[in-house]
Amino acid sequence: MENPELILFNSMSKQKEVFKTRVEGQVSMYVCGVTPYDFSHIGHARAYVAFDVLYRHLKHLGYEVKYVRNFTDIDDKIIKRANESGEDPLSLSRRFSEAFLQDVAELQCLPPTHEPRVSDHIEQIKDMITKIVKNGYGYTIEGDVYFSIDRFPDYCQLSGRKLDDNRAGGGGRVSVDLRKQNPADFALWKAAKPGEPSWDSPWGPGRPGWHIECSAMSAQYLGDAFDIHGGGKDLIFPHHENELAQSRAACPEHKVSYWMHNGFVNKDNQKMSKSDDNFFTIRDIIARYHPLALRFFLMHTHYRSDVNYSDRQLETASDRVFYIYQTLYDCEQALSPFRQENIQGQVPTDIKELIDKFQSDFSASMSDDLHTATVLDDLMEPFKAINSNLKKFKGKKQQRPLILTLLALEKTVKDVLGILGLLGSSCAEVLEQLKDKALSRAGLTEEQVLQLIEDRNLARKNKEYEKSDMIRKELYDKGIALMDEPKGTVWRPCEPPE
């Protein structure tokens, strides 16, 4: 089946465009990474899951992808935090960079091709600043080097802002400095201050400004023209606007074909951010919920829309992930005696039609600017089909059409879960982890739940139905559902009532 053309929203043209690579079969992509001065928060998870989905989908489409994601490991915020804690700034940023890598690995994000750090690219940064100054776009004041926005007529082409919007303070990292030719001029190089890391340069000792780093590192790894530049929509101005100006000032041939930006994570409809102190770290959330549930929750909103965080939404995502993995586990158990038997034959027509429709809908949704939310909803159809066929399956070899049905459906859903980054380790392991998280949220141990099941069985035996109903309800209120099965009562996590 032919994949439809991939269409992506380009922040530069403010519209969807057909994705065409500069080099056939190859994609070059740069995504702005974290400033590691603290544990990463759910807003970071949003960005890096969104671009991981794009990365995985491009690979699925057969592209060879060169994906670069940086660490801004020198910055005012890092220096401030290091001075407060009496730590070396580079060792503080190294510690939080490692923590970030662990967090995104938990969220099933594939490692990028390159993960450059600013501190390893000071020479490239100085070379680029030298070019900018030589080309007439930069000026020096007492060891500081600034970019002159007045000399760059295309400034604000990406953000569409008017120049009078660009008062100092854009993005919190433009300082008010009366020596500047224009208050909105931004620093390319900052003269050394006592107690700050610094490097020698043609303008005296100092360190890079924030924006120049990404211009220099994207050029180093991807060249002066590349396919995709991504990040959160808060980076459009000033960071990406300034990056674009610097890169073009240094090299007029510089071109990014597609600018892509993801939406925010809001808490109670207000943007989560460290500065407003209303954020949750990735670690806070995955201590309570399975990382796959967090990934599912983030992918259940289109990447360009803002997503509203609530425990309720995470409960729902956990429930869906449990359903997916319980179904896969039941299917694996049912099929395990037949895996080696190489059972041949046609998949029943109705199932073949269901699979064909699901696969073509998947391609259409992903090709239309990565509509993952639609795909996650559509996934429920093949899962329902697996469950209804499992009910008919008695584990006999004579039921060959059912075996073929289950094998085909299992392969279909696992392929898509793999592309979406939702296929964890073994099903049994993921189910066990989901149950552990549910017990921890309920404030119970498994022993306590099993004891309550015993108490309920006894109450039922003694016809104390009010008591047995009360036990079931109290557990349900805490997110634990009891299921009475022929073998006895078992428990599973569930969404607690609102």
Side-chain angles (χ1 to χ4, degrees):
M1 184 174 62
E2 277 288 295
N3 280 306
E5 284 186 310
L6 177 59
I7 291 170
L8 298 174
F9 185 88
N10 188 349
S11 307
M12 178 63 87
S13 65
K14 318 281 185 288
Q15 60 188 20
K16 290 182 185 178
E17 297 177 8
V18 174
F19 180 63
K20 295 251 187 288
T21 57
R22 297 184 60 263
V23 179
E24 198 178 335
Q26 294 178 13
V27 175
S28 44
M29 171 163 96
Y30 188 94
V31 174
C32 288
V34 290
T35 301
Y37 68 97
D38 202 341
F39 290 113
S40 296
H41 56 72
I42 186 176
H44 296 128
R46 178 88 209 275
Y48 303 118
V49 165
F51 286 101
D52 181 66
V53 168
L54 174 60
Y55 182 37
R56 285 169 176 275
H57 189 58
L58 290 167
K59 284 160 81 90
H60 161 67
L61 294 175
Y63 290 107
E64 187 187 319
V65 187
K66 196 178 202 185
Y67 173 20
V68 182
R69 184 184 67 207
N70 72 299
F71 284 107
T72 297
D73 64 345
I74 305 158
D75 183 79
D76 296 352
K77 293 177 181 180
I78 293 169
I79 293 165
K80 181 172 179 286
R81 180 65 60 92
N83 288 342
E84 286 164 3
S85 64
E87 194 175 348
D88 170 65
L90 285 172
S91 88
L92 177 123
S93 59
R94 201 158 34 244
R95 190 159 55 82
F96 284 120
S97 298
E98 288 312 310
F100 166 80
L101 291 174
Q102 288 161 11
D103 291 348
V104 288
E106 287 271 17
L107 293 173
Q108 304 277 337
C109 294
L110 297 172
T113 323
H114 300 286
E115 296 183 276
R117 294 167 197 252
V118 173
S119 57
D120 296 329
H121 294 78
I122 300 294
E123 290 310 311
Q124 290 87 337
I125 291 167
K126 290 191 292 194
D127 290 348
M128 186 169 257
I129 296 171
T130 303
K131 280 184 195 161
I132 293 170
V133 173
K134 185 166 160 257
N135 292 347
Y137 296 98
Y139 59 95
T140 313
I141 310 174
E142 299 161 12
D144 289 316
V145 185
Y146 286 103
F147 187 94
S148 170
I149 64 166
D150 294 328
R151 295 179 209 168
F152 189 78
D154 282 345
Y155 193 64
C156 289
Q157 186 185 13
L158 177 64
S159 62
R161 281 177 166 235
K162 303 201 170 38
L163 273 175
D164 56 1
D165 293 343
N166 303 332
R167 289 175 291 278
R173 308 199 204 186
V174 177
S175 55
V176 177
D177 182 344
L178 300 174
R179 303 171 306 159
K180 292 197 284 188
Q181 294 172 3
N182 179 322
D185 289 349
F186 55 90
L188 298 170
W189 186 262
K190 299 181 174 190
K193 294 191 182 79
E196 290 190 358
S198 68
W199 289 262
D200 287 334
S201 82
W203 319 282
R207 61 186 173 88
W210 175 32
H211 315 292
I212 191 67
E213 307 161 351
C214 287
S215 287
M217 290 187 289
S218 62
Q220 167 76 15
Y221 290 92
L222 301 175
D224 291 318
F226 54 95
D227 295 309
I228 297 169
H229 196 321
K233 66 180 181 185
D234 53 330
L235 295 182
I236 294 176
F237 188 90
H239 185 52
H240 287 167
E241 193 68 76
N242 292 354
E243 227 189 287
L244 183 58
Q246 295 162 157
S247 297
R248 288 220 181 125
C251 172
E253 294 76 53
H254 170 81
K255 184 174 184 346
V256 170
S257 305
Y258 304 86
W259 288 87
M260 293 179 69
H261 295 93
N262 62 273
F264 296 141
V265 178
N266 297 330
K267 174 87 174 92
D268 308 321
N269 295 311
Q270 192 188 352
K271 183 199 165 202
M272 271 195 198
S273 71
K274 286 187 179 169
S275 42
D276 292 334
D277 210 27
N278 69 340
F279 74 101
F280 299 108
T281 67
I282 297 171
R283 296 189 169 204
D284 293 337
I285 297 167
I286 63 181
R288 284 173 55 77
Y289 299 97
H290 197 286
L292 285 172
L294 176 52
R295 185 176 175 106
F296 187 102
F297 158 72
L298 292 170
M299 288 167 59
H300 205 255
T301 298
H302 186 258
Y303 78 90
R304 279 191 290 120
S305 304
D306 291 353
V307 57
N308 217 20
Y309 176 87
S310 69
D311 284 348
R312 183 90 215 142
Q313 302 245 42
L314 260 290
E315 298 281 0
T316 306
S318 291
D319 200 55
R320 294 281 284 275
V321 172
F322 190 89
Y323 170 77
I324 286 169
Y325 273 85
Q326 186 65 60
T327 305
L328 285 176
Y329 178 76
D330 294 344
C331 187
E332 283 177 2
Q333 294 299 100
L335 291 172
S336 69
F338 308 102
R339 295 270 185 209
Q340 306 305 321
E341 298 203 7
N342 193 18
I343 292 174
Q344 300 290 327
Q346 290 291 313
V347 175
T349 313
D350 59 331
I351 296 299
K352 189 174 179 331
E353 283 170 4
L354 183 150
I355 289 172
D356 288 348
K357 181 179 184 324
F358 171 69
Q359 287 174 334
S360 85
D361 289 351
F362 167 76
S363 293
S365 298
M366 292 300 279
S367 295
D368 181 17
D369 200 29
L370 309 173
H371 267 279
T372 48
T374 314
V375 173
L376 293 176
D377 290 340
D378 290 348
L379 253 179
M380 292 304 119
E381 277 310 304
F383 273 103
K384 277 184 208 152
I386 292 175
N387 277 313
S388 64
N389 281 284
L390 281 171
K391 286 194 179 85
K392 302 177 209 163
F393 191 52
K394 304 286 182 282
K396 295 194 170 67
K397 197 174 169 184
Q398 292 81 329
Q399 293 182 291
R400 193 169 69 177
L402 273 180
I403 297 171
L404 292 166
T405 290
L406 289 168
L407 284 166
L409 286 166
E410 179 193 53
K411 182 183 183 322
T412 303
V413 296
K414 280 190 169 178
D415 285 351
V416 166
L417 290 170
I419 297 163
L420 297 176
L422 286 170
L423 208 51
S425 45
S426 79
C427 292
E429 205 176 315
V430 173
L431 289 170
E432 209 46 55
Q433 291 161 349
L434 284 159
K435 288 173 99 166
D436 287 345
K437 299 280 186 201
L439 287 169
S440 153
R441 292 196 296 277
L444 293 165
T445 63
E446 183 148 40
E447 287 68 31
Q448 288 170 317
V449 173
L450 296 175
Q451 185 55 56
L452 286 164
I453 289 173
E454 280 299 302
D455 296 351
R456 178 170 169 268
N457 289 342
L458 191 61
R460 289 167 79 194
K461 201 171 166 185
N462 297 336
K463 299 193 166 39
E464 297 172 65
Y465 297 119
E466 213 168 285
K467 183 181 175 184
S468 74
D469 288 350
M470 181 59 95
I471 292 171
R472 164 175 267 186
K473 185 184 178 310
E474 282 176 357
L475 283 171
Y476 172 61
D477 288 347
K478 292 180 172 179
I480 305 286
L482 299 184
M483 331 282 282
D484 295 319
E485 294 186 352
K487 309 191 290 281
T489 303
V490 295
W491 73 273
R492 58 153 285 181
C494 69
E495 272 185 86
E498 296 222 32

